[in-house]
Amino acid sequence: MNLFINGKGIELDCHTAFQAREMIGNPTDIVILSGFQIEEDCLLKENDKLAIIPKGILPPQEELESMMVARHTPYVHEKVKKGKVAIAGLGGLGSNIAVMLARIGVGQLLLVDFDIVEPSNLNRQSYYISHLGMPKTAALRKQIEEINPFIKIETQTTRITEDNIVEIFSGYDILCEAFDKPEAKSILVNTAIEKLPGMKIVAASGMAGYESSNLMRTVRPMKNLYLCGDLENGARIGRGLMAPRVQICAGHQANMVLRLLLGIEEV
Amino acid sequence: MKVNGKTIVLENNLSLSGFLEENQYDARLIAVERNGEIVPRSTYGNVVLEDEDILEIVSFVGGG
């Protein structure tokens, strides 16, 4: 039967997934069938998608990408790879959103931040000691190249103001607002809705402290604006920002981006 | 007038900036949509609210 194994069409005389593994791989190889790693043998259908992955070996470049996306739901990768997503601010939200979008294989990312990595970032942001002093744009680019070398990354190490928002973000389908300061969030969201019609904005408000995880949500207050967070707990003296809730919020934003890339507009 | 889904009674000739001030919104930290259109921040003082208006006011708190 005809199968797609590690991204390539192949004619194989077999009926089950483990027979296919026997014919082209080793008994210890991982087998992923249509996004699910199987432990028991399964019957195959014509044109099924299989990944047969040897452990601990760097596969050839042309097979690596199909192996990386093997755990995605089928046909998600093709859509996500066409996505162009911009991230404004590369702190606790933006750095984690960028890593997640890289892992799911969003085709093109624009990363924008003016700042450098400093020690107080490490409690919640996706940076390491080795990144201290580097521009966040460069530190994040390095990480993403290690996670997924198949996506196009553009960076701008600049401060985003009311006057350069249109110039920087034109041409992107989706904009993630990932700033820290509420004034900056407001300026970006207002300007983007007003001057970049049609662009979907996925913003965040309220993820400080250690209130319940279950207060975090995604809402759609305006046609082109999605808002993630608990919508009330701002950072202030006595209430800091920490990895768990910041990453939950980043996860809300990244999943909303994924849904939009798949054509789903509901929250 | 409807604000964030709730019906409220509107005083005559109230501007959007007047309404925001009365209700303790900080105009620097919000986005306002009026009848489905974003209201540019520089025009809050010029917009006179009407009974039929539907406002959506989004407030941002800090952190990220």
Side-chain angles (χ1 to χ4, degrees), chain A residues 134-209:
Chain A
M134 279 173 78
K136 289 184 174 179
T137 46
L140 204 48
R141 177 193 285 277
K142 269 184 87 167
Q143 287 177 69
I144 291 175
E145 284 168 354
E146 289 276 306
I147 292 168
N148 187 341
F150 300 103
I151 61 181
K152 186 174 170 196
I153 306 165
E154 296 193 334
T155 57
Q156 289 206 34
T157 307
T158 185
R159 197 182 278 274
I160 296 165
T161 68
E162 204 163 350
D163 302 321
N164 62 17
I165 287 169
V166 173
E167 188 191 332
I168 293 173
F169 298 109
S170 290
Y172 280 80
D173 312 321
I174 301 170
L175 169 61
C176 290
E177 177 282 309
F179 288 151
D180 188 18
K181 302 267 185 299
E183 297 88 346
K185 289 173 180 285
S186 167
I187 288 170
L188 179 64
V189 167
N190 274 285
T191 308
I193 295 177
E194 194 189 335
K195 298 189 174 153
L196 295 165
M199 180 180 274
K200 301 284 187 209
I201 299 146
V202 182
S205 183
M207 77 297 297

Side-chain angles (χ1 to χ4, degrees), chain A residues 36-77:
Chain A
F36 187 73
Q37 186 172 330
I38 55 170
E39 304 298 337
E40 284 172 21
D41 204 3
C42 285
L43 278 175
L44 294 175
K45 297 189 307 290
E46 195 68 19
N47 296 324
D48 264 346
K49 288 186 167 189
L50 273 179
I52 298 176
I53 306 179
K55 280 186 174 173
I57 297 170
L58 184 65
Q61 188 83 352
E62 67 272 15
E63 285 185 14
L64 178 62
E65 189 172 20
S66 76
M67 288 181 182
M68 282 172 52
V69 301
R71 289 301 290 268
H72 288 6
T73 308
Y75 307 107
V76 162
H77 176 62

Side-chain angles (χ1 to χ4, degrees), chain A residues 5-6 17-18 21 25-33 36-39 50-56 67 70-71:
Chain A
I5 299 182
N6 297 341
F18 285 2
R21 175 172 66 182
N26 298 301
T28 54
D29 290 354
I30 291 164
V31 181
I32 299 168
L33 173 59
F36 187 73
Q37 186 172 330
I38 55 170
E39 304 298 337
L50 273 179
I52 298 176
I53 306 179
K55 280 186 174 173
M67 288 181 182
R71 289 301 290 268

Side-chain angles (χ1 to χ4, degrees), chain A residues 92-93 124 179-180 182-183 185-187 190 194 205-207 221-222 227 234-235, chain B residues 27-33 38-41 44 56 58-64:
Chain A
L93 296 171
R124 67 191 188 286
F179 288 151
D180 188 18
E183 297 88 346
K185 289 173 180 285
S186 167
I187 288 170
N190 274 285
E194 194 189 335
S205 183
M207 77 297 297
M222 301 177 186
L227 194 59
Chain B
R28 296 168 308 143
L29 309 182
I30 59 174
V32 183
E33 203 176 56
I38 191 83
V39 184
R41 284 150 53 99
Y44 288 175
E56 197 61 52
V58 174
S59 304
F60 295 99
V61 297

